Amino acid sequence: MTKAPIRVAVTGAAGQIGYALLPRIASGAMFGPDQPVILQLLELPIDKVMQALKGVAMELEDCAFPLLRGIVCSSDTKVAFKDANWCLLVGSKPRGPGMERNDLIRENGPIFVGQGQAIAEVGAKDVRVAVVGNPCNTNALIAMHSAKGVPKERFTAMTRLDQNRAMSQLATKAGVHSTDVTHATIWGNHSATQVPDYVNTKIQGKPANAVIKDEAWLKGEFFKTVQQRGAAIIAARGSSSAFSAASALVDHVHDLHFATPAGEWRSVCVVSDGSYGVPAGLISSFPVTSDGKGGWKIVQGLPLDPFVKEKIAATVKELEGERAVVADLLK
Ligand code: NAD
Ligand code: LMR
């Protein structure tokens, strides 16, 4: 029997990430090869932008994707989020060279107030939200506060790109394939203070720091490369990461939609319950498992070495600082 389509709202759908993301959702990479989808695309109410969105929709039509059961294009959040099961909040301004992601906070933050309200008003009963627009942790916090009545657990932000980057760096250093790197763990904020954990992340089943016995590299170059990868891509490409971000979002939603294989976890920014000393209520990256039915849990009891612990305290401090900057948007 054919499954009922999943309605997927994507904001900023005519942007860089949108262009790389939409064909992957429509071809089944996000929800599986037997799951039909309806794409509900939101863009700014500017003629040139809506015209570009129309072109994107035409290209989607031209792919004749078997799983694509409808395309809605709108500049109205109430139309784009109507009955949406997943809202992928990408639309916002990217940073340029020399900026930190949280330099965007006062410009992008307000977007997530109206979008959170609209999600609460018209989204599906089981609506789930993934925030990509930067600074994504704090924007997710704003959306979560604005979406009155929607359970807080439905809101996530993306550190999957950081997880994938860490896997790739560790694999290269250890001379193995990235599939040999498992349990990759990012703590904290999707920012230059994020914490790529080298103790709980495993290489061929062993702690990464037991395989790569180069503490200076793990605490130095590895940390810096993962923390600064977004800036390095902006410096090299002239604009921020796009298809790697889209691919990470496919992974992020896929792995929350399906159950996590036993014994594994993924890095996801979710609302803290106080685990690992992260104050309750902040949206922070944790090792998370999904039950495949909409529920998730923070993996408990992982050991933290003193260096990682100290870095987690610093990234949490930054998240608290960001929250203070947008306090007026959290009512
Ligand atoms: P882009 O400028 O190419 O596209 C953004 C699109 O969003 C534009 O088409 C714009 O018209 C649209 N937009 C802006 N405000 C909107 C609103 N209120 N409603 C609907 N649409 C709106 O940018 P991009 O490269 O696609 O990046 C988008 C965001 O994703 C940026 O904030 C970027 O920093 C962030 N990002 C996050 C990660 C991550 O890992 N979390 C990775 C890469 C990029
Ligand atoms: C990234 O990590 O590539 C994105 O968050 C874009 C950026 O500004 O770094």
Side-chain angles (χ1 to χ4, degrees), residues 11-18 42-44 49 90-95 101 104 108 111 115 131-136 158-162 165 190 240-242 245:
T11 73
Q16 290 201 92
I17 295 175
L42 183 76
E43 259 298 348
L44 289 173
V49 176
V90 178
S92 53
K93 198 175 165 189
R95 66 172 162 159
R101 296 176 185 99
L104 298 165
N108 284 343
I111 295 171
Q115 293 189 353
V131 179
V132 173
N134 278 320
C136 62
M158 192 172 90
T159 40
R160 184 54 178 266
L161 180 53
D162 310 295
R165 287 167 172 167
H190 172 64
S240 69
S241 62

Side-chain angles (χ1 to χ4, degrees), residues 9-188:
V10 180
T11 73
Q16 290 201 92
I17 295 175
Y19 193 73
L21 175 68
L22 298 173
R24 298 215 42 214
I25 303 174
S27 65
M30 190 173 266
F31 298 105
D34 60 349
Q35 176 59 63
V37 291
I38 295 173
L39 290 172
Q40 306 190 165
L41 312 179
L42 183 76
E43 259 298 348
L44 289 173
I46 298 169
D47 284 351
K48 209 172 136 205
V49 176
M50 290 310 287
Q51 196 56 30
L53 183 63
K54 191 175 164 207
V56 171
M58 287 160 68
E59 283 204 66
L60 283 166
E61 284 171 14
D62 293 351
C63 293
F65 286 117
L67 294 170
L68 185 56
R69 296 302 153 86
I71 307 170
V72 175
C73 293
S74 182
S75 57
D76 182 346
T77 50
K78 305 268 175 64
V79 174
F81 296 148
K82 179 90 182 107
D83 299 326
N85 307 104
W86 271 96
C87 295
L88 312 183
L89 307 186
V90 178
S92 53
K93 198 175 165 189
R95 66 172 162 159
M99 292 170 75
E100 287 300 334
R101 296 176 185 99
N102 64 18
D103 292 337
L104 298 165
I105 201 164
R106 289 303 315 181
E107 204 165 342
N108 284 343
I111 295 171
F112 298 85
V113 175
Q115 293 189 353
Q117 289 165 348
I119 287 167
E121 200 176 320
V122 302
K125 269 201 157 55
D126 66 352
V127 68
R128 300 179 79 181
V129 180
V131 179
V132 173
N134 278 320
C136 62
N137 296 58
T138 297
N139 289 337
L141 186 76
I142 295 168
M144 182 180 86
H145 275 264
S146 305
K148 305 286 181 226
V150 180
K152 290 186 169 23
E153 293 71 28
R154 304 284 184 79
F155 291 81
T156 61
M158 192 172 90
T159 40
R160 184 54 178 266
L161 180 53
D162 310 295
Q163 177 194 311
N164 291 347
R165 287 167 172 167
M167 288 167 70
S168 186
Q169 293 301 318
L170 290 170
T172 303
K173 179 75 176 173
V176 300
H177 190 260
S178 60
T179 49
D180 290 319
V181 182
T182 60
H183 304 82
T185 311
I186 304 290
W187 303 94

Side-chain angles (χ1 to χ4, degrees), residues 95 100-101 159-171 173 181 184-187 189-198 201 217-233 241 267 285:
R95 66 172 162 159
E100 287 300 334
R101 296 176 185 99
T159 40
R160 184 54 178 266
L161 180 53
D162 310 295
Q163 177 194 311
N164 291 347
R165 287 167 172 167
M167 288 167 70
S168 186
Q169 293 301 318
L170 290 170
K173 179 75 176 173
V181 182
T185 311
I186 304 290
W187 303 94
N189 199 4
H190 172 64
S191 75
T193 67
Q194 67 180 273
V195 185
D197 186 326
Y198 48 73
T201 301
W217 181 84
L218 289 168
K219 292 182 175 172
E221 199 178 324
F222 170 60
F223 252 70
K224 193 162 170 227
T225 302
V226 177
Q227 290 176 330
Q228 295 291 341
R229 190 66 163 188
I233 290 185
S241 62
S267 295
S285 186

